[in-house]
Amino acid sequence: MNLLAFLFLAVTPLTKPVLFNTPEADAIVSKLQVFPPDNPWNQVITNWPVHPNSRAIIASIGDDKPLRCNPDMNYVLVPPGQHKVPVQIKAYPEESDRGPFPVPDNLPIEGWPVGFRGQTLADVQFDRRNQGGDRHAIIVDPINRILYEFFATRRTERGWEADQASVFDLKSNKLRPDGWTSADAAGLPIFPAIVRYDELKRGEIRHALRVTVRRTRRAYVAPATHYASSLRDEDLPRMGERIRLRQDFDVSRFSPEVRTILVALKRYGMFVADNGIEWAISVAPDERIPTLHRGLRRVTGADFEVVVSP
């Protein structure tokens, strides 16, 4: 264990898996450096130039469509000695990282708990009501700063299975191999994009967000490594397209939580990460987070612009 990891562990003990919606998790992730400071997720883009085709790209997503949030992406923190188990990769083994993986018994599945009222975590893990969905699962080892993400995750009597598995070194700027997907269609990590309770309580988000749109182009731009479309219309966004809230947009009339999100969208923007509902950003399904929909929906696509790296 290196010195930084030792010091982190000394001030933030982690001896067992800790779920995202707890004060213990808040204390840990608020101190966690997610990728180096110069990583694309952490870049301030307030002065980046506007893409020459920004208006057409925004219109293709929907300039009259509202900004919205999905209370979808959760995570679990595991200690460095978490027991590793095999995970059967069913759909994308050739574009997945190899296990075994430190999967704890309390691994949360996308949307739990707020999206699964009346169901236990075990009910959701085993998908006992056959609800399906993307079923993302995210594990963070904050001491070693390693991130594990899965798509279409399910627990069975034989063990865990998923359609795809990705491992990211949070100490490095290394991307996935060119052309490879991840648990997200763009080949991007999901955890760095989540709007978390500790951030909203602090009143500051210091990273880019992720956003879904209905139609994307058969193209990607770094840090994305993968596309998920057969369409070639250049008015459609690429995977990894960086979108920013206009600097002249007045955020003063919003609640503190929504204002925190909007300021981050001005400062860091958001990456097009997957095909889905247009203008939907990912927020942790944490019962402590107040309802954000009413405020976010007052922002529309016309308030955004596509930017390019200078």
Side-chain angles (χ1 to χ4, degrees):
M1 184 183 298
N2 62 37
L3 179 60
L4 287 177
F6 177 81
L7 293 174
F8 187 96
L9 185 59
V11 299
T12 315
L14 182 61
T15 59
K16 63 181 181 179
V18 174
L19 286 172
F20 69 103
N21 54 348
T22 61
E24 293 81 6
D26 297 338
I28 294 170
V29 294
S30 65
K31 298 181 179 71
L32 179 62
Q33 177 65 51
V34 180
F35 292 128
D38 63 346
N39 186 272
W41 286 97
N42 303 320
Q43 287 178 310
V44 175
I45 63 168
T46 50
N47 295 322
W48 283 19
V50 176
H51 191 292
N53 201 31
S54 174
R55 287 189 179 182
I57 295 173
I58 294 297
S60 77
I61 303 171
D63 48 18
D64 60 341
K65 299 289 186 180
L67 180 64
R68 60 193 96 193
C69 67
N70 275 332
D72 51 3
M73 301 302 181
N74 47 33
Y75 55 90
V76 62
L77 307 176
V78 296
Q82 177 65 36
H83 177 65
K84 293 187 176 182
V85 300
V87 176
Q88 182 184 8
I89 305 303
K90 301 181 69 176
Y92 301 97
E94 71 284 354
E95 295 180 29
S96 291
D97 293 303
R98 294 185 177 182
F101 305 99
V103 181
D105 287 339
N106 62 341
L107 177 67
I109 302 298
E110 176 182 350
W112 185 86
V114 300
F116 296 92
R117 299 297 184 186
Q119 297 186 58
T120 66
L121 178 54
D123 290 336
V124 179
Q125 289 176 336
F126 284 92
D127 196 15
R128 287 172 175 151
R129 297 189 184 179
N130 296 311
Q131 291 178 269
D134 286 350
R135 299 181 61 84
H136 290 99
I138 300 172
I139 302 168
V140 184
D141 174 350
I143 306 303
N144 292 314
R145 291 171 64 194
I146 301 295
L147 169 64
Y148 305 86
E149 298 188 342
F150 304 90
F151 172 67
T153 317
R154 183 172 283 98
R155 195 173 191 175
T156 73
E157 297 301 331
R158 300 177 301 279
W160 291 95
E161 62 182 32
D163 277 2
Q164 201 279 339
S166 299
V167 180
F168 296 90
D169 183 351
L170 298 180
K171 305 179 294 297
S172 168
N173 286 333
K174 184 179 179 181
L175 303 180
R176 291 187 66 69
D178 195 44
W180 278 32
T181 188
S182 65
D184 230 355
L188 295 170
I190 299 172
F191 173 72
I194 301 172
V195 175
R196 310 186 311 256
Y197 170 77
D198 68 287
E199 297 173 317
L200 296 179
K201 183 179 180 180
R202 184 172 61 241
E204 184 181 23
I205 296 171
R206 297 190 289 262
H207 57 79
L209 308 185
R210 72 184 285 275
V211 68
T212 60
V213 302
R214 291 192 186 274
R215 296 191 304 152
T216 54
R217 197 190 335 165
R218 184 185 170 89
Y220 55 85
V221 58
T225 60
H226 185 260
Y227 57 74
S229 174
S230 60
L231 303 173
R232 300 181 182 274
D233 185 349
E234 294 192 358
D235 289 345
L236 296 174
R238 300 165 293 183
M239 286 295 180
E241 207 77 79
R242 196 102 177 225
I243 300 176
R244 175 182 68 196
L245 185 63
R246 292 197 334 266
Q247 297 304 304
D248 61 357
F249 185 86
D250 182 9
V251 302
S252 64
R253 50 200 176 95
F254 294 86
S255 71
E257 294 82 8
V258 172
R259 185 164 62 247
T260 296
I261 293 172
L262 298 182
V263 169
L265 290 174
K266 284 189 174 189
R267 186 170 174 79
Y268 300 96
M270 53 190 174
F271 289 110
V272 173
D274 204 350
N275 298 313
I277 300 173
E278 63 275 325
W279 300 123
I281 60 174
S282 285
V283 176
D286 192 322
E287 311 95 319
R288 301 172 297 171
I289 295 177
T291 301
L292 303 171
H293 286 291
R294 183 176 300 177
L296 291 176
R297 290 180 68 87
R298 290 162 54 192
V299 186
T300 66
D303 299 314
F304 291 95
E305 56 196 4
V306 180
V307 297
V308 293
S309 177

